[in-house]
Amino acid sequence: MGVSVQVVAQTGGAIYFTSTQYYTSDVLNCTISNNSAVCGGGIASINGSETITARDSTLFGNSASQGGAFFNQSRLLAVTNCALLDNSAAQGGGIYNAGLVTVTDSGITDNSAGDSGGVYNARNNRLTVIGSTVSGN
């Protein structure tokens, strides 16, 4: 069963991951909606060497300066079978990536931003999109 979370925060409107240690965190079968933050309106992962996995989840209506749904500045963010829709940011309405992101079998749709409505991939970082739809951003 999913969990619906609504928060206003500085970093990671709903969830904020930070660490200098290696660990793995999972966000599974969740609805994360209507949150706001400077970085990562829905979820932020900063300064960590962790792997963050988001699976079978929906992130919608979140807003931030960077990364309406996701802000990633860590080793790996894996997004699988997720819907990122109607999120907004100045950069990266759906995802702001300053690390390594893999998006598989997901939809990044109807997000908005001044720069890169779907995904903002910062210089020298890696983005892989497999079997997904990116449209209407």
Side-chain angles (χ1 to χ4, degrees):
M1 180 181 272
V3 175
S4 184
V5 180
Q6 297 178 344
V7 179
V8 176
Q10 178 71 21
T11 305
I15 301 172
Y16 176 34
F17 297 103
T18 185
S19 175
T20 58
Q21 302 290 323
Y22 177 82
Y23 66 92
T24 301
S25 297
D26 298 317
V27 177
L28 307 173
N29 194 31
C30 293
T31 298
I32 299 174
S33 64
N34 302 314
N35 302 289
S36 181
V38 174
C39 295
I43 297 173
S45 178
I46 297 176
N47 297 331
S49 57
E50 70 273 8
T51 298
I52 308 296
T53 300
R55 181 177 295 128
D56 302 324
S57 296
T58 301
L59 287 87
F60 71 92
N62 301 291
S63 62
S65 292
Q66 295 177 311
F70 287 104
F71 179 91
N72 179 54
Q73 190 183 52
S74 294
R75 190 170 75 86
L76 174 63
L77 170 64
V79 178
T80 303
N81 197 34
C82 289
L84 283 61
L85 58 133
D86 293 322
N87 300 287
S88 62
Q91 291 180 305
I95 299 172
Y96 180 99
N97 180 42
L100 175 63
V101 171
T102 301
V103 178
T104 306
D105 299 328
S106 296
I108 302 173
T109 57
D110 298 326
N111 301 287
S112 61
D115 188 3
S116 304
V119 179
Y120 180 90
N121 194 51
R123 190 174 124 193
N124 297 324
N125 294 285
R126 186 176 205 173
L127 169 69
T128 303
V129 180
I130 302 165
S132 298
T133 300
V134 181
S135 68
N137 299 289

